[in-house]
Amino acid sequence: MKTRLRFGSRIHTRFGEKFDALVHRARFLEENGFDIVLLDDHLLYGTVSAVALDPFAAGAAVAYGTKKIKVGVAVTDLVRRHPAILAQSSSTVTVIANGRFVLGLGSGDMMNQAPFGLPTDHRFDRFREGVKLLKMLWSSSIDNPVSYKGKFHDLTNAYLQTGLTKEAWPPLYFASFGERMLRFTGEEADGWIPHCHTPETYGKDLAKINYSSERAGRLSDQAVQPSYYTVASIATSRDKADADVVGPAKFFLALIPEALRKIDPSIQHPGRIWEKNPDPRAQREMIRKIATTIPRETALNTVIHGTPSDCIEQVSSYAKEGCREFLLTFTPSSGLWSGDEMLPIAKLFSEKVIRYFQEEYD
């Protein structure tokens, strides 16, 4: 029997909305066959339309207000959040959600670190050490305290009292692009949650993760759950769906030059020049300007878009490369921060795409 594909959606609140709107969207997605909802972890976005809530507090409320859908943070980092605080926060949401919580981790971005005086150097080394401490603290207890002296953190007879056994730890999904992060994902992660791939580049990076996993002695075929986190738009008209999604698709490729280089090395990208500007709103405009130089088809080749049959074909292409979980940010005509306008799009996707794969794989 084929492994069933799973589908999730990012949810958020826009400026001026009450929090109930977030829980309402999660319940709607749960009722329409989605497997997981995802919350960002930002201190700021650089746009007045957005609201940057703490995803652990918000996620706990969403979990409490739903019955079976999983709740994930995609993604946080171990710079803004000390490993001990993150271990406790994620364990708390796991308890409230009765095990329905997923923790996405990345190395962080300067836009959410530099304005607050947080360190932006040694990103990979901080990430690797933070993951080590996270797991040490999850395994600690009053009878089994842990000590550690590292480059960035020290622990001395430290322990947490989360009440979780190892079997109940939340799964760790890594957002990885570079070679070291891909290897580390294979060694330590439970899932992979990248952005901005074509099916071909996705398959190549997943092969690297699987190779690393095997070398680390993790012999299970599903040691690392392969996911894909991308923007999506579905409509009865291919032109309408493409028009709604192409802007965000270009923006994310501009934001992640490493991904663009993998997809098409011939496209010129100036690098992360916005990181030299201290103003987050100015940074966002610089990224937008870079996005205008990215070819339309290059961007569209990295997202799920078009009519239902188009979306089925694209999902199938990623599934053939090994992807088993599609985590989507739906893009209404009114933009990413449109609120309930994403619900009809999600419903159409559920009725035409999710239902197709349920029948195909079950």
Side-chain angles (χ1 to χ4, degrees):
M1 181 183 292
K2 298 179 181 179
T3 302
R4 183 175 80 84
L5 300 184
R6 299 187 181 278
F7 295 90
S9 175
R10 170 181 173 263
I11 57 174
H12 58 267
T13 49
R14 60 181 177 181
F15 184 78
E17 280 190 321
K18 292 184 177 180
F19 181 78
D20 288 351
L22 192 71
V23 180
H24 166 69
R25 286 169 201 140
R27 288 175 178 160
F28 180 92
L29 293 164
E30 181 176 63
E31 292 166 0
N32 282 275
F34 286 81
D35 299 288
I36 185 170
V37 291
L38 300 165
L39 302 169
D40 297 342
D41 187 15
H42 283 244
L43 290 169
L44 53 81
Y45 285 97
T47 172
V48 296
S49 303
V51 174
L53 298 178
D54 177 88
F56 294 92
V62 168
Y64 193 75
T66 52
K67 296 178 180 179
K68 61 181 181 179
I69 198 166
K70 292 183 179 180
V71 179
V73 172
V75 297
T76 190
D77 64 72
L78 289 147
V79 175
R80 289 176 296 143
R81 298 183 184 273
H82 187 282
I85 302 302
L86 183 57
Q88 184 187 45
S89 298
S90 57
S91 296
T92 301
V93 184
T94 299
V95 171
I96 293 170
N98 291 318
R100 293 182 287 128
F101 181 66
V102 175
L103 180 58
L105 293 175
S107 59
D109 68 283
M110 287 191 67
M111 187 182 294
N112 279 273
Q113 294 170 343
F116 305 95
L118 296 168
T120 58
D121 58 348
H122 304 293
R123 292 185 184 181
F124 174 73
D125 292 336
R126 290 181 189 277
F127 182 78
R128 179 172 55 185
E129 184 174 296
V131 170
K132 180 180 180 69
L133 266 64
L134 190 66
K135 293 187 174 185
M136 288 177 65
L137 289 163
W138 274 339
S139 66
S140 69
S141 68
I142 191 170
D143 296 319
N144 183 36
V146 293
S147 297
Y148 177 83
K149 187 170 182 62
K151 184 175 181 180
F152 309 104
H153 300 288
D154 293 337
L155 300 175
T156 305
N157 293 322
Y159 61 89
L160 297 179
Q161 294 181 269
T162 64
L164 293 183
T165 62
K166 184 173 182 178
E167 292 73 23
W169 292 358
L172 295 178
Y173 279 45
F174 291 176
S176 48
F177 289 96
E179 296 300 315
R180 290 186 300 173
M181 280 289 284
L182 291 170
R183 286 196 299 270
F184 190 56
T185 299
E187 295 165 357
E188 295 290 341
D190 303 300
W192 180 42
I193 185 172
H195 215 323
C196 298
H197 273 289
T198 65
E200 180 183 7
T201 61
Y202 184 94
K204 288 179 179 179
D205 276 2
L206 180 57
K208 295 175 183 178
I209 290 171
N210 289 336
Y211 177 72
S212 174
S213 181
E214 291 173 6
R215 285 180 59 88
R218 306 176 73 191
L219 302 180
S220 168
D221 291 339
Q222 288 293 311
V224 180
Q225 171 80 347
S227 300
Y228 186 44
Y229 192 22
T230 187
V231 290
S233 182
I234 184 171
T236 55
S237 161
R238 171 70 178 260
D239 289 343
K240 180 185 185 310
D242 288 3
D244 289 348
V245 81
V246 68
K250 286 186 173 187
F251 182 88
F252 286 116
L253 275 177
L255 182 65
I256 310 173
E258 301 87 350
L260 185 61
R261 282 196 293 271
K262 288 183 180 183
I263 294 165
D264 188 347
S266 69
I267 298 175
Q268 297 299 311
H269 191 296
R272 298 175 181 269
I273 56 174
W274 59 86
E275 293 185 348
K276 299 177 182 179
N277 191 311
D279 181 0
R281 295 180 73 172
Q283 290 178 0
R284 194 173 183 89
E285 288 308 311
M286 292 174 75
I287 297 167
R288 287 185 191 278
K289 186 174 182 180
I290 295 169
T292 63
T293 69
I294 296 173
R296 175 186 175 88
E297 287 306 311
T298 299
L300 290 176
N301 287 340
T302 66
V303 301
I304 306 299
H305 64 104
T307 65
S309 59
D310 292 326
C311 294
I312 289 168
E313 181 180 355
Q314 293 152 12
V315 167
S316 297
S317 295
Y318 285 97
K320 287 177 183 177
E321 297 295 337
C323 184
R324 289 296 173 266
E325 195 169 34
F326 293 83
L327 309 173
L328 309 173
T329 298
F330 291 108
T331 58
S333 300
S334 46
L336 283 176
W337 300 100
S338 302
D340 281 350
E341 287 86 342
M342 58 86 69
L343 298 183
I345 302 173
K347 187 173 182 63
L348 179 60
F349 190 90
S350 172
E351 292 173 345
K352 299 299 185 181
V353 181
I354 295 179
R355 185 173 299 173
Y356 172 87
F357 285 103
Q358 285 175 341
E359 295 171 354
E360 176 76 11
Y361 281 78
D362 291 345

